[in-house]
Amino acid sequence: MKITVLDYGAGNVRSLINAVEKMGGSIKMVEKPEDILAAERLIFPGVGNYGAMLEILHERGFVEPLRKYLNADRPFLGICVGMQALFEGSEEELVSSNESIGFFKGRVKRFRTELAVPHIGWNGIHIKQDSPFLDGLDPDTKFYFVHSYHIVPENPEVILTTTTYDYPYASAVQQGNVIGTQFHPEKSGTAGMKLLDNFIHSDSLKARGAADIPSKGLSKRVIACLDVRSNDNGDLVVTKGDQYDVREAGSVRNLGKPVALARKYYEQGADEITFLNITGFRDFPLEDMPMLKVLEQTSKQVFVPLTIGGGIREFTDDQGRHYSSLDVAARYFRAGADKISIGSDAVYIAMAYLESGQKTKKSAIEEISRVYGAQAVVISVDPQRAWVTSPEDVPKHHVVKVTSGEKGPNGEAYCWYQCTVSGGRKAMDLDAVALARACEELGAGEILLNCIDKDGTNSGFDLDLINAVRSNVTIPVIASSGAGCEAHFAQVFKCTKAEAALAAGIFHREEVPIQAVKQHLAEQGIEVRK
Ligand code: 1PR
């Protein structure tokens, strides 16, 4: 079956293409408006900002053919913003004069909740229509969501599924052969592949009537992290440091090949995979083609979200050619990344913003967030403890009383978490809480919170750091650094509000498989994706 894909140039379409091909579909990309009307089955995988998406659809003359295609009740699957586009308008772009497609009555609204926004992670679906599109699913199945806005259809009969994030909202719609999902089938492992298979191969997509099949709620995420760099022979390897020192007897530690390890962790049940190009701060990533190849190859085999960090900043090469941070991010997205993570540059951006109090709209955080959406911008924080005897010692920094019983070199009981840049090599006059808050204000969608003191120690996550940051932001926080056993994951989820926990060393050294972590969490009453 030929599947036509409408790519308007934002976000990661490669994963969808890879997933459709894996399910036996052949791809035709929409190049001109006529391709829409010529489609047999059409997928519109929207990612990013609603207003930016509509602007491009109008510019390229796609809106009228889309309306015609939908009104003729031809097979259509809109994903995320590709589904939102079918409604009459969105709070995300109040100032846009561009008309939405308006196939469904209703609007798109921002989440109003005390929970973190964006809603990122694996969540259940409550099935409301018996549709061939949903055939063959396990009732406990979860799908990958990443969004700050959700649809509010006027006609409840078009609701295909609902999902609960604080409150229930419509997470998929279907009318005739037109289907839309807020979740990403192409990023939802085998469950998502089943839906794509149904969309590609079902003779009829039409729903058979009403249904009422409830499901479980949002999971805590378990993320496998691969620190990647060239070793001394120039081969790209997965490495792992002890408190950021990746050398052992003078050589870069080699723990395996990036693509093979990512695939292994996907098969073991990792909810996401993160690659950190750890020398990206000194090597310009667009010259580092092997890293882009790693992403391209991984996205053909791994159908959960991929984050890539390292070297996301503006750059001028030897020939004087200037690349904006948006150019760098775009190249990573095209290679298969769903999110990019910014480390060193985020510190410089936040410091400039805090000093001037002005948003420039030109920083990497602001630009990438505006085009690809906040959910695509992760801030990787590399803090280290700076010990003090009392909070008055450093009034401008967020100081915590260390609750683990650990003390500084002179018996200090307090510390602040000092941000570093260039892979922990340079400490800056900025604390992790201030960095996280500033980056949220500038448009970041998630915080990846490392801790140099804990990294590679197997001694458990830094709960004080995680609590300090998570209680000062409204975006999700990924706890990182220090996981040494299954119990550390349960501890971080019970003692903090972190939405996800990331580990590297214990997985690479095969000390604890990902499934064992999930099983332990489930036994402790913590919701996970099985
Ligand atoms: O500054 O934007 O170029 O990004 C560089 C990125 O590379 C940052 O995200 C930074 O965290 C990362 N990085 C730089 N140097 C190192 C290093 O180790 N020498 N790795 C490094 C950071 C930390 C975690 C690690 C967890 C879990 N790695 O990602 O995976 O601490 O480890 P554990 O479970 O084994 O304890 P830019």
Side-chain angles (χ1 to χ4, degrees):
M1 171 68 71
K2 182 164 284 162
I3 302 298
T4 302
V5 175
L6 199 165
D7 170 21
Y8 63 96
N12 173 10
V13 193
R14 179 174 284 271
S15 300
L16 176 79
I17 294 170
N18 291 338
V20 168
E21 284 179 344
K22 193 165 166 77
M23 290 295 106
S26 67
I27 298 284
K28 158 105 183 78
M29 300 304 289
V30 171
E31 274 151 25
K32 46 191 187 319
E34 303 84 80
D35 295 339
I36 293 178
L37 287 168
E40 286 174 65
R41 294 190 180 201
L42 181 64
I43 304 187
F44 181 13
V47 191
N49 178 282
Y50 184 91
M53 176 258 317
L54 269 187
E55 214 169 288
I56 301 170
L57 289 187
H58 276 276
E59 255 169 41
R60 299 189 62 187
F62 290 163
V63 172
E64 274 319 309
L66 260 175
R67 283 193 181 126
K68 269 197 194 140
Y69 184 93
L70 296 162
N71 289 332
D73 193 26
R74 292 167 60 186
F76 177 92
L77 174 60
I79 299 172
C80 192
V81 183
M83 171 194 70
Q84 296 179 359
L86 306 190
F87 284 76
E88 293 172 299
S90 170
E91 283 180 0
E92 192 175 3
E93 199 63 29
L94 291 171
V95 292
S96 170
S97 55
N98 283 313
E99 224 187 292
S100 196
I101 291 167
F103 176 77
F104 288 111
K105 291 239 169 299
R107 294 186 69 79
V108 181
K109 299 205 164 142
R110 192 175 162 85
F111 275 110
R112 288 184 176 81
T113 170
E114 294 291 301
L115 300 182
V117 178
H119 164 213
I120 298 182
W122 295 81
N123 208 334
I125 54 170
H126 185 145
I127 298 174
K128 302 285 194 177
Q129 292 189 51
D130 175 15
S131 167
F133 178 61
L134 301 177
D135 280 352
L137 289 185
D138 189 298
D140 267 358
T141 302
K142 295 184 188 224
F143 291 90
Y144 190 76
F145 288 80
V146 50
H147 60 127
S148 303
Y149 296 81
H150 64 85
I151 52 166
V152 184
E154 265 179 30
N155 174 6
E157 281 174 19
V158 302
I159 295 174
L160 176 61
T161 67
T162 61
T163 291
T164 299
Y165 191 61
D166 196 4
Y167 50 86
Y169 69 93
S171 53
V173 280
Q174 176 161 7
Q175 182 172 303
N177 288 308
V178 176
I179 298 170
T181 63
Q182 183 58 66
F183 49 88
H184 288 263
E186 78 283 13
K187 288 279 130 192
S188 296
T190 46
M193 302 299 266
K194 180 75 191 113
L195 297 195
L196 290 173
D197 189 21
N198 291 342
F199 180 76
I200 297 165
H201 299 295
S202 296
D203 292 335
S204 166
L205 289 165
K206 294 217 159 111
R208 306 171 190 106
D212 188 14
I213 308 170
S215 73
K216 297 230 172 96
L218 184 71
S219 294
K220 294 290 186 183
R221 286 173 280 154
V222 176
I223 301 176
C225 182
L226 289 79
D227 289 0
V228 179
R229 62 161 287 170
S230 297
N231 67 8
D232 301 311
N233 305 322
D235 303 322
L236 208 60
V237 296
V238 174
T239 188
K240 180 68 208 105
D242 295 328
Q243 298 176 306
Y244 286 35
D245 180 0
V246 298
R247 287 185 183 269
E248 196 165 69
S251 305
V252 172
R253 240 182 228 147
N254 179 352
L255 294 167
K257 292 197 186 318
V259 181
L261 273 184
R263 188 189 168 125
K264 179 173 118 179
Y265 297 143
Y266 166 62
E267 285 167 354
Q268 287 185 355
D271 294 318
E272 288 182 33
I273 306 286
T274 296
F275 289 107
L276 295 175
N277 183 358
I278 66 170
T279 50
F281 69 90
R282 59 169 181 247
D283 307 323
F284 180 49
L286 297 193
E287 283 164 0
D288 189 5
M289 297 312 280
M291 196 64 215
L292 291 167
K293 291 228 167 62
V294 162
L295 262 181
E296 280 163 13
Q297 286 166 15
T298 305
S299 71
K300 285 199 178 116
Q301 310 173 26
V302 171
F303 297 100
V304 293
L306 301 176
T307 303
I308 173 90
I312 303 205
R313 62 179 192 283
E314 61 178 342
F315 187 81
T316 304
D317 70 13
D318 298 345
Q319 271 77 48
R321 197 169 156 208
H322 180 77
Y323 297 84
S324 69
S325 46
L326 198 56
D327 295 332
V328 182
R331 191 66 190 83
Y332 274 142
F333 287 125
R334 278 202 302 280
D338 300 285
K339 309 188 235 182
I340 53 87
S341 111
I342 309 177
S344 304
D345 205 33
V347 176
Y348 296 119
I349 293 167
M351 288 179 85
Y353 169 59
L354 291 170
E355 198 177 315
S356 69
Q358 301 293 319
K359 293 184 184 174
T360 62
K361 295 195 177 156
K362 292 200 165 66
S363 70
I365 300 173
E366 291 161 282
E367 283 206 310
I368 301 169
S369 174
R370 187 175 63 248
V371 176
Y372 293 94
Q375 81 294 332
V377 182
V378 183
I379 303 301
S380 171
V381 192
D382 298 315
Q384 63 190 16
R385 288 177 185 157
W387 293 95
V388 288
T389 42
S390 96
E392 286 80 52
D393 293 356
V394 281
K396 77 174 210 190
H397 292 306
H398 186 105
V399 172
V400 303
K401 185 162 189 347
V402 176
T403 59
S404 62
E406 290 158 280
K407 293 261 190 295
N410 303 309
E412 298 94 332
Y414 294 88
C415 77
W416 61 285
Y417 289 92
Q418 183 168 26
C419 292
T420 65
V421 294
S422 307
R425 286 168 181 78
K426 188 171 168 200
M428 308 295 283
D429 189 22
L430 179 70
D431 69 70
V433 172
L435 171 78
R437 288 174 71 141
C439 292
E440 176 178 6
E441 284 172 30
L442 291 167
E446 199 171 25
I447 303 290
L448 163 50
L449 190 53
N450 303 300
C451 177
I452 295 181
D453 306 80
K454 287 285 188 175
D455 174 66
T457 63
N458 283 20
S459 61
F461 296 94
D462 191 321
L463 305 176
D464 293 326
L465 168 66
I466 298 158
N467 276 323
V469 171
R470 182 64 190 83
S471 58
N472 277 284
V473 294
T474 67
I475 54 180
V477 169
I478 301 166
S480 166
S481 303
C485 60
E486 296 93 320
H488 289 151
F489 289 85
Q491 183 187 42
V492 78
F493 290 134
K494 285 185 175 169
C495 301
T496 79
K497 289 187 173 163
E499 280 74 11
L502 171 151
I506 52 166
F507 298 147
H508 302 334
R509 295 186 299 266
E510 299 188 335
E511 289 161 9
V512 181
I514 292 171
Q515 265 320 325
V517 172
K518 296 253 183 116
Q519 186 164 345
H520 179 76
L521 290 173
E523 283 162 11
Q524 294 290 308
I526 297 164
E527 191 64 38
V528 287
R529 176 180 73 111
K530 296 207 178 95

